[in-house]
């Protein structure tokens, strides 16, 4: 995507407060990492026009970059609604991947119908370290699907994720990313030069930041 498009998407995320920047009062992630940014793309679902915009952009990206896709997969939980919207737009079958198999019934980890060898594009709301995203990829591969790519709304651009996706052999695309967001925040005067430096240093060593 062009930098302009990445910033346009970033502007939508900021507009509905799906992304919050708080360099002076860091958030704590589930991993225990301290972070000056918090991203919750579930909020997009509550704003019909922004939701529709994101659905169209995700669909366009799948259509242009992975035209051979035969199935769309959503990753639980936040990737499920966005994946379902994309599948509906592209008129493709939809499946979703649980974080772990059900402990009752059929014990499924993948819900929906997946045929052996079908080309699958996975939809994520957010890529951070890539761990949960690639666990979903592995589950699809074990079920016989061929994962040809992943498309997300936002990507932090961590080196650890770049390396993990490369090792797994999964091409991925994102509508927007951390760099575009910070550039936009600076342009809009939402963060100072000192805060920009803090935000950039966090991205380099997120596991050590704030310690």
């Amino acid at each position: 995507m062009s930098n302009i498009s990445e910033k346009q998407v970033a502007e939508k995320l900021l507009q509905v407060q799906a992304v919050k920047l708080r360099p002076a009062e860091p958030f704590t992630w589930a991993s225990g990492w301290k972070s000056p940014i918090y991203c919750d793309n579930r909020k997009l679902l509550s704003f019909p026009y922004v939701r529709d915009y994101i659905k169209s952009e995700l669909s366009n990206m799948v259509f242009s970059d992975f035209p051979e896709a035969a199935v769309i997969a959503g990753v639980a939980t936040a990737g499920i609604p966005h994946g379902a919207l994309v599948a509906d737009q592209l008129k493709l079958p939809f499946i979703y991947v649980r974080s772990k198999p059900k402990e009752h019934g059929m014990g499924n980890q993948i819900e929906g119908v997946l045929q052996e060898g079908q080309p699958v594009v996975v939809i994520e709301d957010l890529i951070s370290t890539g761990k949960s995203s690639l666990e979903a990829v592995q589950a699809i591969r074990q079920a016989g699907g061929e994962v040809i790519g992943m498309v997300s709304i936002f990507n932090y651009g961590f080196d650890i994720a770049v390396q993990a996706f490369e090792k797994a052999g999964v091409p991925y695309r994102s509508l927007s990313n951390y760099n575009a967001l910070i550039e936009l925040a600076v342009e809009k005067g939402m963060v100072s030069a000192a805060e920009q430096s803090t935000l950039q240093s966090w991205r380099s060593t997120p596991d050590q930041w704030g310690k």
Side-chain angles (χ1 to χ4, degrees):
M1 290 186 76
S2 71
N3 195 244
I4 293 174
S5 296
E6 289 170 350
K7 284 185 181 178
Q8 285 173 343
V9 173
E11 188 155 24
K12 301 288 186 189
L13 301 184
L14 289 169
Q15 179 186 323
V16 301
Q17 295 191 320
V19 171
K20 292 183 179 179
L21 294 169
R22 220 167 61 187
E25 299 175 66
F27 300 94
T28 302
W29 287 4
S31 62
W33 287 6
K34 296 293 183 183
S35 169
I37 180 173
Y38 189 75
C39 184
D40 180 6
N41 288 324
R42 294 174 182 85
K43 286 194 172 180
L44 298 169
L45 300 167
S46 298
F47 299 86
Y49 292 104
V50 177
R51 182 182 69 210
D52 196 54
Y53 172 82
I54 295 296
K55 174 187 73 173
S56 295
E57 291 301 310
L58 286 171
S59 299
N60 290 341
M61 188 169 274
V62 173
F63 187 75
S64 63
D65 291 15
F66 305 106
E68 63 273 37
V71 177
I72 299 296
V75 180
T77 57
I80 293 175
H82 295 292
L85 288 166
V86 169
D88 189 60
Q89 175 99 344
L90 296 176
K91 297 296 175 276
L92 289 173
F94 178 69
I95 61 174
Y96 71 85
V97 188
R98 297 175 178 274
S99 56
K100 59 182 181 179
K102 275 198 301 189
E103 295 177 356
H104 59 278
M106 299 293 289
N108 294 339
Q109 183 169 5
I110 295 176
E111 301 291 358
V113 178
L114 176 64
Q115 306 290 346
E116 183 84 25
Q118 280 188 306
V120 181
V121 170
V122 181
I123 302 294
E124 264 285 29
D125 74 310
L126 173 70
I127 295 175
S128 54
T129 63
K131 183 175 181 290
S132 58
S133 303
L134 290 171
E135 285 173 352
V137 167
Q138 184 61 23
I140 294 168
R141 285 173 169 170
Q142 287 175 346
E146 182 196 350
V147 177
I148 59 172
M150 181 175 294
V151 175
S152 71
I153 298 171
F154 191 78
N155 185 352
Y156 285 113
F158 293 145
D159 288 342
I160 189 174
V162 173
Q163 292 160 11
F165 275 90
E166 193 173 298
K167 184 178 179 182
V170 180
Y172 64 98
R173 309 282 186 273
S174 298
L175 297 185
S176 192
N177 55 64
Y178 190 71
N179 285 343
L181 179 81
I182 301 310
E183 282 180 25
L184 181 68
V186 171
E187 287 171 13
K188 287 179 159 291
M190 297 173 66
V191 295
S192 65
E195 287 174 326
Q196 181 183 8
S197 176
T198 297
L199 289 162
Q200 288 171 337
S201 69
W202 170 76
R203 221 278 299 276
S204 303
T205 53
D207 56 333
Q208 299 298 318
W209 190 82
K211 292 184 178 178

